Amino acid sequence: MNTTMEATQNEQNGQVNSPDPNPSPVPQHQSLSKNAQKKLLKQQKYEAKKAEKKAQMKEQKQRDAERKRKEWEEKLAALPEDERLKLIDSRKELRRERMEKRSEERGQKIQRLTQAKETGQNIVVDLEFSHLMTHSEIHSLVQQIMYCYAVNGRCSSPAHLWLTGCEGEMETQLQRLPGFDKWIIEKEKQSYIKAFSDRKDDLVYLTADSETVLHELDPTKVYIVGGLVDRNRWKGITMKKAEEQGIHTAKLPIGAYMKMSSSQVLTVNQVIEILLRFLETKDWKGSFFQVIPQRKRTEGDSENCQEVDGEDCVEETEKKKRCLEVPSHD
C-alpha cells in the first residue's frame, strides 16, 4: 500500500525515472576513440593556428598598403607640378594596361573552359561522402576544389570538370566561394551514376586500392576522384563503392616512377593536377615529381620540384597561394 502511494506521489511530482524526451547530446569527443580524439584536437589546433596566421597576414597586408600609400604621397609632394602630373598619368596608364591584360586573359580562360565542355577530358569529383566528414574536413575539401578549378583554368587544354552529389553542407560551403555560381564547371546534385546513366561502361573510379594501373588517359572515359578527406577512417571505401556499382577502377602508376614514404593516396587537388599535367605533357614521371610533395616521397626520390582520392589539408605553398588569390568570378 505504502509502495503504491509513494509511486503515485512520485508520478505527480514528475520524479519517475522515465526517459528524458529531450536528452542532452553526448559530447562528440566522448564517442570517439582516443586516436580520433587526438586527431580532432590536432585538427582544432591547426585550424586555430591557421586562423591566427590569416589574421596576421591581413594586418600585415593593411600595413604594407598604408606604407606604400604614404611613400607615394611623399614622392608626389617632392616633385614639381608638371612632373607630378606626368607620374600620375604614367601610373594610370600602367593600371589601364594591367586591367586590359587581365580582361584578355579572363576572356581566353572562359573560351578554353567553354571549349573543354565539348572536347575536354571528363573528370568527376565525387562529393557523396560529405556525410562522413566533419565541418573542417568539408572546408578543406572545398579549398581543394577551388584550387582544382584555378589550375584547370590555367591549362592550355583544360579538362571538363564535374562536381556530382553536390548538396547539403558541401553545396552550402561551395556556394560561399566568391563567384562560384559563375564557374564553368558542371555542378550536379545527382550522383555520377545518374549523370552518366547512359555511359556506365565509360566510368572509371580512380582508387589506390585498384589492381588495374592507369597507363594512358582515354578521352572517351570519365575518370572519378573520390572527394573524401581523412581516408584513414574509411579505408577501401571508394573501391568498395565502385565494386558495388559495377564500374571500372584504376590507380595512377605512381609505383613505377617513385617510392612513396607512406601510401600512394593523394589529395583531390593533387590527383587532378597530376591528371591535368599528364594531359598536357603525356609524362607521368614529370607530373608526379612536380605535384607530389617531397615529404611524401622516400629520400631516394629527390628530383625537382595528400590517398588517390583525398586526405590531408591543402598545403599553403606559394604556388597555391598565387592560384587562389586570382579572382575566381569567371
Side-chain angles (χ1 to χ4, degrees), residues 101-112 330:
K101 184 178 180 181
R102 287 179 183 174
S103 179
E104 182 181 354
E105 290 175 347
R106 190 178 301 118
Q108 292 173 349
K109 173 184 174 181
I110 292 173
Q111 185 177 4
R112 292 195 305 272
D330 47 43

Side-chain angles (χ1 to χ4, degrees), residues 255-266:
Y257 299 96
M258 65 169 58
K259 294 180 180 180
M260 303 288 282
S261 57
S262 55
S263 67
Q264 294 187 10
V265 183
L266 308 171

